[in-house]
Amino acid sequence: MNGLLDKFRLTLILLLIVVGASTLLARLWTLQINRRDYYLDRIPTSSTVTVRVPPTRGRIFDRNGVLMVDNEIGYEATLNLEDIVKYYRAQQNGDVPLASYDVSSGGSVRSRKLPEVNIVEVVKETVIPQLNSLGLASNFNADKMKVFYRTHRGLLPYPYRDDLGFEEYARFAEHSTSLPGVNVHVRPKRHYVYGALASHILGFMRQSETGDLPEEERGKFNHFLPDSLGASGVEQSMEEYLRGKAGVSVVEKDEKGRVVGEIRYEPPVAGGDLYLTLDVEFQYLAERLMRNVGRGAAVVMDVNNGDIVAMASVPSFDPNDFIPRIDRARWDAYTKDPSNPLLCTALGTYEPGSTYKIVMGVAASLIDKATSVYTCNGGVQYGAKFKKCWIHNKGGAHGPLNLTDALMRSCNAYFYLLSKTIGDKPMITAAELLGLGRRTGVELSKEDPGIVMGSRYWTDIIRQSPDARMTLADLSNMSIGQGETKASPVQMAVVSAAMANRGKVLQPRLVKKVVDHRDARVLYPTSQRQAPDAPTVVCDLTKEGVSQEEIEMIRKGMWAVVYGAGGTARGAQIEGMEYGGKTGSAQTTIRGKKGTHAWFIAFAPYEKPQYAICVTVLGGEAGGKVAAPIARELIDGIFAIERDRILRGKGRQLVAKHLSPAIGSYDPIASVQFEEDGGSVVSVVTDGTDVPVAVAMPAEPPEVRVPRAVSEEDVSIEERPDEEGMVVRRAKPVDPETLRALEEGEN
């Protein structure tokens, strides 16, 4: 019996040994063979990371090689949030704090626990204590960090500090290997040398997002150091040429995620250097002059090739305020300003008023009616309505006039009668031949094409009826640049240039060329334009039925505006130079009230023109008293600069300085007068009375404003730290009374 029991026990023990051994062998097979790769992947080892290195952005110069936009050295510290999370997991045996946030579902909002890392708590526990000990910690916006991590994970580094001085950068660099996920970078930082000068042309920058990565680069990098991208102006429109080509850095990290060395480095290729058609001294002069008024634009264009040598818009802004990000508090304050400083007034469209009578002269020439004579009796009768000429309010009439005299006196009645005679077709054709109603093609985005009454756009969009027809009332409004007629200062400068060069309608341009900084190879323009200075002729009026004699009639009328006995801009004469011009005072609505825009277009000199000019003052009462005096100073100043360059040569000092942003206003301007000492007197209309205001030049207001019209999607905003992101507590200032009491107690 005992023998059987012993045998049973032995068998049971052997069976247990066999089962245990089999289980152990099966588990070993699972761990070492079946799931070998899985566990190998979990063993901490060194790894390589491919980092995108952003290129240096191309510089921007004026036509003469004066540097306008440069790149400075900037220092920044970034956090790779995914690396920080991995380090935290390793230290806490895989545990990480979770976060919850509100999500929308079916129109309702509910809070639920999400399997998402509380990235703020992880950063505050892992990185911030060490940074505080080094004196390098900075407060941050915790909500922004959460959204950033949720959106980008480890692809984009979180911009922790972009305000580092060199000493702080050196301290970061010295200790970065012991700080998981903390990296420091030397990055070029955009610098606009002259501040607000030419801000609407140059534009402003924003930080790139993941979606901005070029298609050919996606999937190529583990980490992406973002570029600064152009958000407006030529910074945006010429992004392709300015941006450059990214470089590659392959770095090795140890098992703790710390960088131990660089394996491979391919340097980035800098963007091309861009040369504008602007003359920085002409631009400076134009902007100083336009600061006498609250809102408006001045455009100066070379009549021989279409180069825009100056284009000033007021109010304005400083592009440096957007580098690297614009402060949230400042942004919030800027958006309350109704004068829209980020709007390029030169590309906006407005009723052109009597400057449009030049277009009517071309329309008459198309059907051989330029020699017509009409009699002004103070206005024209349209059924029961009598449409007045401006002189009717003064108790007079112009009498019989030809085209030249009608332009000189700016007689409305003449052009009412002319529009009755010729009808809508030549009026529409003339406007379109001169480039109105469409974008000029200047190298800036968001250009307003304007409105030509009677065009397809006018019928379908404005009147919302494809069958709409021009009435006599429409024709009369169009003939004097009123009604729904709209044109931009740039477009009207093109019109003036076409009269100056005797019939050639040129495409205006702001970019002269882009060159490769390595070998000076021209990257832009392409072969479509044979040479940087070659003009692009959109239309030749002499090939469309307008004779040179008819163009001379219009030109003579423009000369008479300034020098004729009845000219509307006689006060804008320049001693020693003759030029042609045309005034305009357009009735409009400004902020829900009746108002006026003042215009003056011109070309100079008269016989051998070099430049066409357009000055527009939004809210100006009369073209002859507001816009023409500014244009006179601009023309006189430009030729004075050119004479000085010839006399002094290369040794002369540049006449251009850093400008603060011009501040906008809606004050109606009655007149502008310039003094011999360079100052000016601007009369502002207050309750129907002209109030003179002395203006010192140049006016450089200290404030900067940004309009509501700009979307937050267009800019990079630096959010102010929130309570959760306050990691550096600064001592509160002691109340003066408390401090005094403490001092008295010690005594």
Side-chain angles (χ1 to χ4, degrees), residues 292-490:
N292 287 281
V293 298
R295 297 177 304 129
V299 180
V300 184
M301 176 177 159
D302 189 318
V303 303
N304 298 304
N305 60 15
D307 284 355
I308 294 177
V309 295
M311 191 176 89
S313 291
V314 292
S316 61
F317 63 94
D318 189 342
N320 289 307
D321 289 326
F322 294 82
I323 305 299
R325 297 170 185 82
I326 190 166
D327 179 76
R328 164 59 72 175
R330 177 174 288 191
W331 171 262
D332 290 343
Y334 293 168
T335 54
K336 297 177 183 178
D337 185 351
S339 64
N340 293 339
L342 290 195
L343 173 68
C344 182
T345 316
L347 295 180
T349 58
Y350 320 92
E351 299 87 346
S354 291
T355 59
Y356 200 83
K357 291 170 182 175
I358 302 300
V359 182
M360 287 298 296
V362 174
S365 301
L366 289 173
I367 56 171
D368 298 325
K369 294 294 182 181
T371 57
S372 299
V373 175
Y374 298 100
T375 300
C376 170
N377 295 313
V380 177
Q381 195 73 38
Y382 288 87
K385 182 177 178 60
F386 183 72
K387 293 202 70 169
K388 300 176 183 178
C389 180
W390 64 267
I391 201 170
H392 183 274
N393 295 328
K394 297 186 177 183
H398 288 121
L401 297 171
N402 59 24
L403 177 60
T404 298
D405 290 338
L407 289 171
M408 175 183 69
R409 299 181 184 278
S410 200
C411 176
N412 290 347
Y414 178 94
F415 292 97
Y416 294 156
L417 294 168
L418 177 61
S419 69
K420 268 187 169 184
T421 301
I422 66 177
D424 62 342
K425 288 185 179 180
M427 292 169 64
I428 297 169
T429 301
E432 293 179 341
L433 288 175
L434 287 164
L436 304 179
R438 67 170 182 268
R439 294 178 177 85
T440 64
V442 69
E443 298 94 342
L444 293 175
S445 61
K446 300 178 182 178
E447 181 185 5
D448 192 333
I451 301 172
V452 172
M453 294 179 66
S455 66
R456 184 66 180 270
Y457 178 84
W458 178 81
T459 58
D460 293 356
I461 306 300
I462 305 302
R463 292 295 173 92
Q464 297 185 347
S465 173
D467 298 325
R469 295 291 181 268
M470 295 275 283
T471 65
L472 289 176
D474 291 329
L475 292 173
S476 65
N477 283 332
M478 183 179 179
S479 72
I480 60 169
Q482 292 284 174
E484 291 141 333
T485 303
K486 295 285 193 301
S488 72
V490 170

Side-chain angles (χ1 to χ4, degrees), residues 137-196:
S138 178
N139 297 323
F140 59 93
N141 187 282
D143 283 340
K144 182 180 177 182
M145 180 180 284
K146 294 171 186 176
V147 173
F148 190 94
Y149 179 67
R150 194 177 305 137
T151 304
H152 303 294
R153 296 292 173 175
L155 179 61
L156 274 180
Y158 177 76
Y160 180 60
R161 289 193 60 183
D162 51 29
D163 60 346
L164 297 178
F166 179 75
E167 290 184 2
E168 290 178 306
Y169 165 75
R171 257 187 294 156
F172 260 110
E174 182 181 358
H175 297 280
S176 62
T177 56
S178 62
L179 297 171
V182 178
N183 299 289
V184 288
H185 312 281
V186 178
R187 285 188 59 191
K189 187 170 64 173
R190 212 65 165 156
H191 174 60
Y192 297 86
V193 178
Y194 294 98

Side-chain angles (χ1 to χ4, degrees), residues 500 555 577-580 603-611 639:
R555 294 177 87 256
M577 177 191 293
E578 292 188 351
Y579 68 98
F603 61 84
Y606 182 74
E607 290 298 336
K608 294 181 179 180
Q610 290 178 246
Y611 302 113
F639 285 102

